Amino acid sequence: MTHTRFAFIKAQWHADIVDRALEGFCEVIPEAQVDVFDLPGAFEMPLLAKDLAETGKYGAIACAAFVVDGGIYRHDFVAQSVVDGLMRVGLDTGVPVLSVSLTPHQYQETDHHNEIYRAHFVEKGREAARAALGVLKTRASLLDAAA
């Protein structure tokens, strides 16, 4: 694989939960290979992902957010916009962009729910790292086969 650096973008809304995804990611990909970027919320992630992808420094970019229904707006709209934007960045730049964005419909700010989602984000971080490595490996083998 030609790229050994990865970008990890984290939304700071519910950081105590979202930050766990980075922990899981770094269990699979060494922390020394990961550049971390914090943003206020999920909605800002696609633009930064695009900026990072265009640098050519990263083999893949992972983006983590926890988008919950705050009772003010439809969180489904925000989550769908973010995931669509991240997918577009990957397609437009050719750099894999992975989403570790969760949108629970029944989230309550209780110790029980928070513990469930903290553990879930660790696993989702591991899954994103494995996916990043898998995509890079598959794409490299395609290039090798074409050469």
Side-chain angles (χ1 to χ4, degrees):
M1 284 178 248
T2 57
H3 293 283
T4 58
R5 298 223 52 81
F6 298 86
F8 196 99
I9 300 171
K10 301 183 287 122
Q12 290 301 285
W13 187 256
H14 291 283
D16 60 315
I17 294 172
V18 176
D19 288 353
R20 304 294 84 76
L22 177 61
E23 291 174 16
F25 193 84
C26 290
E27 288 177 12
V28 177
I29 295 174
E31 188 175 348
Q33 291 178 251
V34 181
D35 293 336
V36 180
F37 302 88
D38 290 323
L39 288 175
F43 213 69
E44 296 83 12
M45 292 191 313
L47 181 59
L48 182 59
K50 182 175 184 277
D51 292 342
L52 294 170
E54 289 175 344
T55 68
K57 285 177 53 174
Y58 300 104
I61 300 167
C63 300
F66 192 54
V67 182
V68 300
D69 185 352
I72 298 170
Y73 57 85
R74 294 282 300 158
H75 66 294
D76 292 335
F77 168 76
V78 172
Q80 188 64 54
S81 297
V82 169
V83 171
D84 288 348
L86 296 176
M87 179 60 71
R88 194 170 93 213
V89 169
L91 293 172
D92 289 352
T93 65
V95 176
V97 179
L98 303 141
S99 174
V100 186
S101 299
L102 299 180
T103 309
H105 285 277
Q106 301 300 322
Y107 173 71
Q108 297 169 10
E109 285 202 53
T110 64
D111 290 342
H112 176 71
H113 271 202
N114 288 340
E115 191 54 40
I116 288 169
Y117 285 106
R118 282 185 195 106
H120 192 58
F121 263 80
V122 172
E123 182 55 35
K124 295 313 257 180
R126 289 183 200 119
E127 290 173 5
R130 288 185 206 112
L133 294 171
V135 168
L136 292 178
K137 181 179 178 182
T138 300
R139 292 182 88 196
S141 67
L142 289 174
L143 290 173
D144 290 343

